[in-house]
Amino acid sequence: MKNLVSGIQPTGIITLGNYLGAIKNFKLLQDNPDLKLFIFIADLHAITVSFPEKEKLRQQIRSLAAFYLACGLESEKTNLFIQSEVKEHAELGYIMQCLSHVGELNRMTQYKEKKAKGEASPTGLLTYPTLMAGDILLYDAEFVPVGDDQKQHLELTRDLAIRFNNRFGEVFKVPEPIIKPLGARIKSLTNPDKKMSKSDDNPKSYINMLETPAQIRNKIKSAVTDSDGVIRFDPENKPGISNLLIIYATVTNTEIKTVEAQFKDKSYAELKESLAQVITAEIEPIQARYNELINSPYLDEILNKGKENASFLAARKIKKVYDKIGLGRKLK
Ligand code: ATP
Ligand code: LTN
């Protein structure tokens, strides 16, 4: 049995990018009987840019939990839990922070981008990748399915695992990222040079998973394309159209070549109309399940069970780490 770990930050309603780049993949992976999944709501990560309003944060945590299940994660196959409820995440994050160097954290692209956007630069934003390394190493994860933007953080996690093992002896597994060849970087609808992101200031840039068919249609309709009128997959020269083709292919589980051929002689308006329809068809049943789950006590039962299972492994691991380092007293 191999462990697989991943998380999403509860920083807003999840986008189609989060769904296609991450959650849809978790759902496929959970059906592999050789894998044990640990999927969590990364709430400690959600306070690294700034502290959201308390009630809003609570609601976003619950909303993400409901989405995971509505998108098809099953509690029999996946341990679903809230990061802050397993205190060892913060503990191992701190150890990883001590093991890392400021220089390597300063080089992280996501840190540089987020720092450039805000006025303040919280220390937590800089040390975020060390918390993420702790999240992964705590469970001896062999695989970490993520979108393309997290590749650099995974490389750091691997470096930190190796650094710790060399210094203190074999404690951590060195994890491998799983990054899908298609759909790992869904682009913003208003700027196809940027990734679609739930915390983008412009709501037209993303589709969130609670949007109505009319909202979806309008956003897809106004997605930035180009003026040559030819439908062709060419991410370099036609990033807008290529992004729409990728979304179509990943939503419908089709090869990009097939989608390209399907729309070869069609207009941009026809492609956009069909895309809005397939997105709506994919999202509507998820929304129906979400609405059933969001206020249900069943959600709490699953989160309690996930917390219990995760805590068991996490406590065992942190004990081993403290023991190797020589923290506290030697426990018998
Ligand atoms: P934020 O805007 O708060 O930074 P985000 O929308 O970028 O959030 P995360 O919570 O950072 O999303 O990411 C959760 C998962 O979704 C990660 O595995 C990430 O790589 C993936 N992901 C995020 N955005 C995209 C995207 N545009 N395309 C594909 N995968 C994505
Ligand atoms: N940093 C990730 C979210 C995240 C994560 C993790 C993903 C936090 N901890 C551990 C995989 C494994 C992001 O998408 N922003």
Side-chain angles (χ1 to χ4, degrees), residues 17 106 137 151 171 196 217-218 225 329:
N106 260 322
L137 302 178
K151 209 167 156 183
V171 171
M196 183 183 283
R217 178 165 293 110
N218 282 337
T225 52
R329 283 174 291 164

Side-chain angles (χ1 to χ4, degrees), residues 7-9 11 17-18 21-22 114 146-147 149-150 183-186 195-199:
I8 296 181
Q9 310 177 82
T11 38
N18 301 131
K114 290 201 172 180
V146 279
D149 60 318
Q150 298 302 313
R185 188 179 282 262
I186 301 294
K195 73 158 194 154
M196 183 183 283
S197 188
K198 60 178 127 58
S199 58

Side-chain angles (χ1 to χ4, degrees), residues 22-265:
I23 303 187
K24 212 174 164 182
N25 210 18
F26 303 164
K27 185 171 145 30
L28 288 177
L29 292 159
Q30 81 172 350
D31 292 327
N32 182 334
D34 296 329
L35 294 176
K36 194 151 137 203
L37 270 64
F38 292 85
I39 303 290
F40 62 94
I41 294 135
D43 57 346
L44 293 173
H45 286 264
I47 57 170
T48 51
V49 170
S50 61
F51 288 92
E53 200 256 312
K54 175 179 158 180
E55 288 312 320
K56 195 169 170 202
L57 180 58
R58 284 263 153 83
Q59 181 220 325
Q60 285 172 176
I61 291 170
R62 195 169 178 88
S63 167
L64 179 52
F67 265 119
Y68 275 133
L69 296 174
C71 292
L73 292 189
E74 295 165 37
S75 67
E76 298 75 37
K77 298 177 185 166
T78 295
N79 294 293
L80 183 65
F81 64 97
I82 300 172
Q83 181 189 29
S84 66
E85 293 185 357
V86 180
K87 62 182 176 23
E88 289 83 359
H89 284 256
E91 293 185 66
L92 190 56
Y94 175 71
I95 303 292
M96 290 298 133
Q97 194 177 310
C98 295
L99 196 66
S100 67
H101 308 299
V102 177
E104 61 193 345
L105 299 182
N106 260 322
R107 280 198 295 275
M108 295 289 129
T109 307
Q110 193 178 73
Y111 168 65
K112 289 194 275 192
E113 283 174 3
K114 290 201 172 180
K115 188 178 157 206
K117 256 178 83 179
E119 305 98 55
S121 175
T123 312
L125 192 58
L126 177 68
T127 59
Y128 171 115
T130 56
L131 180 60
M132 180 164 164
D135 298 336
I136 296 167
L137 302 178
L138 206 45
Y139 301 99
D140 282 330
E142 303 221 12
F143 301 114
V144 184
V146 279
D148 184 59
D149 60 318
Q150 298 302 313
K151 209 167 156 183
Q152 204 184 19
H153 294 163
L154 252 297
E155 277 157 19
L156 178 78
T157 302
R158 290 170 57 85
D159 289 347
L160 292 173
I162 294 168
R163 197 173 299 164
F164 189 99
N165 289 348
N166 287 343
R167 171 87 167 75
F168 299 104
E170 285 297 310
V171 171
F172 296 124
K173 284 237 158 76
V174 181
E176 293 284 343
I178 300 183
I179 299 174
K180 300 192 310 166
L182 205 66
R185 188 179 282 262
I186 301 294
K187 303 291 176 54
S188 150
L189 298 177
T190 50
N191 177 359
D193 292 333
K194 272 189 0 188
K195 73 158 194 154
M196 183 183 283
S197 188
K198 60 178 127 58
S199 58
D200 199 295
D201 294 333
N202 182 359
K204 284 193 144 187
S205 69
Y206 55 76
I207 287 176
N208 82 45
M209 297 291 286
L210 282 182
E211 274 171 328
T212 62
Q215 285 171 317
I216 294 171
R217 178 165 293 110
N218 282 337
K219 287 190 181 182
I220 293 290
K221 236 178 169 174
S222 60
V224 168
T225 52
D226 53 54
S227 56
D228 79 357
V230 180
I231 297 183
R232 176 165 46 87
F233 184 65
D234 179 353
E236 196 139 302
N237 300 307
K238 296 173 71 67
I241 283 293
S242 301
N243 189 39
L244 299 183
L245 292 173
I246 290 176
I247 297 176
Y248 195 101
T250 41
V251 167
T252 57
N253 306 313
T254 322
E255 298 262 336
I256 197 83
K257 275 201 178 88
T258 315
V259 179
E260 201 183 15
Q262 184 182 339
F263 290 100
K264 199 165 111 330
D265 300 317

